[in-house]
DNA sequence: ACGCCCACCTGGAGGC
DNA sequence: TGCCTCCAGGTGGGCG
């Protein structure tokens, strides 16, 4: 379930259950995720207290009190499922619960990832920014400094379609297939437009759309969280209905437009858009 | 350097 | 029911 808004929502849901609490047990049930889990994982984490949980791009950064960061990425299918002691006892571990963390507050966190495209690793705080995984990452879209000119500069000279550029985490971080489609729709820009032509006012519009789509989704996630009280892993994507994503054949949601949502394949992924109001 | 394709892995949906 | 194919929200390595 993880693009930036989902990861951010998971982060906010984990904070009250983990921060300030000691990890009393870590159970590693299999090592072979996208990157093999750390050696001696349990020994290196047990006894540590969680000091903070940050996010960079789609990575969760769980700061431990020994100066290490537990980095987690959810891949395509990763979930963080919290159980209180009672529900943990009632719910046996599933075959995709790869890592189980128990805290001194009695809460249990299960990292579940059917496809195993996710990862967890332990890195010293000061080495996180220069870590291979973080080296080439672009700016955070919700930072105030990320504006039209900033995006335009990063698209300059790029011959790839704008959709592909948005998915490329070197351009900016946090955008996946869904929010790329939704943002381009909101900005009225075709996913097939060459990235270098998104300049000036067009880049302004796209940045505004990206921020709006992400913020609205985080809000929706927040309200879902309040309703559920915990990131139970079943939140899914927040907008029950996307405007164009997965809506092939539906009428274009723009009231004044008589177009139809189309699906095209771009670099192996589906793009959904209205060819009439997205240019 | 850049852009594109594919593989990584499992499960769900839909067709026959 | 079963079997087959296609598709899925991410990423990075390898290729031309």
């Amino acid at each position: 379930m993880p693009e930036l808004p989902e990861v951010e929502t998971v982060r906010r849901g984990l904070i009250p259950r983990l921060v300030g609490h000691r990890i009393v047990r870590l159970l590693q049930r299999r090592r072979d995720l996208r990157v093999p889990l750390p050696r001696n994982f349990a020994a290196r984490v047990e006894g540590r207290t969680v000091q903070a949980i940050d996010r960079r791009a789609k990575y969760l950064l769980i700061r431990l009190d020994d100066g290490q960061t537990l980095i987690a990425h959810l891949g395509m299918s990763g979930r963080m499922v919290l159980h209180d002691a009672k529900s943990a006892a009632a719910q046996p571990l599933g075959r995709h619960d790869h890592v189980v963390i128990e805290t001194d507050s009695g809460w249990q966190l299960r990292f579940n990832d059917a496809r195993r495209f996710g990862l967890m690793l332990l890195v010293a705080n000061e080495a996180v920014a220069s870590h291979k995984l973080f080296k080439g990452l672009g700016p955070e879209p919700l930072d105030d400094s990320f504006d039209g000119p900033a995006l335009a500069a990063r698209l300059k000279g790029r011959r790839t379609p704008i959709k592909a550029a948005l998915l490329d985490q070197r351009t900016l971080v946090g955008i996946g297939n869904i929010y790329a489609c939704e943002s381009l729709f909101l900005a009225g820009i075709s996913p097939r437009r060459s990235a270098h032509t998104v300049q000036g006012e067009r880049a302004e519009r796209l940045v505004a759309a990206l921020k709006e789509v992400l913020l609205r989704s985080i809000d929706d996630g927040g309200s879902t969280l309040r309703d559920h009280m915990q990131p139970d892993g079943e939140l899914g994507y927040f907008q029950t209905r996307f405007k164009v994503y997965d809506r092939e054949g539906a009428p274009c949601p723009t009231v004044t437009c008589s177009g139809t949502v189309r699906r095209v394949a771009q670099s192996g992924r589906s793009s959904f858009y209205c060819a009439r109001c997205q240019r």
Side-chain angles (χ1 to χ4, degrees):
Chain A
M1 47 175 282
E3 296 182 34
L4 185 154
E6 291 72 35
V7 177
E8 179 60 22
T9 299
V10 168
R11 184 182 82 86
R12 294 179 188 186
L14 293 180
I15 284 172
R17 302 298 176 214
L18 296 189
V19 173
H21 291 287
R22 196 160 49 87
I23 295 169
V24 293
R25 202 164 88 95
L26 184 148
L27 174 64
Q28 174 188 293
R29 302 181 70 227
R30 66 185 295 166
R31 280 196 71 212
D32 56 336
L33 305 199
R34 176 153 67 89
V35 172
L37 291 173
R39 299 205 171 273
N40 307 316
F41 196 14
R44 294 169 65 191
V45 169
E46 285 175 354
R48 303 274 60 87
T49 294
V50 176
Q51 289 188 322
I53 305 179
D54 301 320
R55 180 188 57 74
R56 169 72 173 123
K58 300 172 191 170
Y59 293 90
L60 289 167
L61 305 176
I62 302 173
R63 312 291 190 180
L64 306 179
D65 63 354
D66 63 348
Q68 296 220 98
T69 296
L70 200 176
I71 299 174
H73 193 286
L74 301 174
M76 292 268 261
S77 54
R79 295 152 178 258
M80 293 291 187
V81 184
L82 278 172
H83 292 273
D84 60 24
K86 197 174 147 194
S87 119
Q91 185 72 52
L93 294 179
R95 94 186 186 97
H96 301 304
D97 289 327
H98 305 311
V99 176
V100 182
I101 289 171
E102 288 170 11
T103 73
D104 60 5
S105 61
W107 284 85
Q108 185 192 72
L109 173 67
R110 300 180 183 181
F111 174 53
N112 179 288
D113 185 7
R115 293 175 77 178
R116 283 184 280 126
F117 290 171
L119 62 84
M120 278 189 169
L121 61 164
L122 282 170
V123 175
N125 288 344
E126 62 275 13
V128 171
S130 58
H131 191 280
K132 192 179 157 196
L133 291 173
F134 290 71
K135 265 280 176 172
L137 291 180
E140 289 285 336
L142 296 177
D143 280 359
D144 288 342
S145 58
F146 184 73
D147 56 10
L151 177 63
R154 303 187 79 83
L155 296 175
K156 203 174 161 199
R158 297 189 56 182
R159 297 278 149 183
T160 196
I162 184 63
K163 166 79 180 315
L166 292 180
L167 293 180
D168 183 343
Q169 303 294 298
R170 293 169 303 181
T171 313
L172 78 168
V173 300
I175 305 301
N177 204 35
I178 292 180
Y179 297 120
C181 293
E182 295 296 301
S183 303
L184 287 166
F185 170 74
L186 196 57
I189 297 171
S190 167
R192 308 166 80 161
R193 170 178 283 277
S194 188
H196 75 279
T197 69
V198 178
Q199 296 289 320
E201 194 268 334
R202 227 181 234 119
E204 300 278 4
R205 257 193 295 141
L206 183 49
V207 166
L210 286 161
K211 288 180 192 268
E212 183 178 335
V213 164
L214 294 173
L215 286 172
R216 207 196 315 139
S217 300
I218 291 170
D219 269 3
D220 290 351
S223 47
T224 310
L225 260 192
R226 273 194 302 282
D227 293 345
H228 288 70
M229 292 308 294
Q230 43 185 286
D232 62 359
E234 302 302 324
L235 305 178
Y237 272 70
F238 304 133
Q239 288 147 285
T240 41
R241 258 298 159 64
F242 299 112
K243 299 271 193 203
V244 290
Y245 180 80
D246 202 22
R247 307 223 37 180
E248 182 181 16
C252 173
T254 304
V255 278
T256 55
C257 176
S258 57
T260 299
V261 176
R262 317 199 163 281
R263 176 165 84 135
V264 295
Q266 288 184 289
S267 47
R269 318 199 78 85
S270 292
S271 294
F272 299 88
Y273 75 112
C274 170
R276 212 179 159 98
C277 57
Q278 290 178 252
R279 296 307 176 116

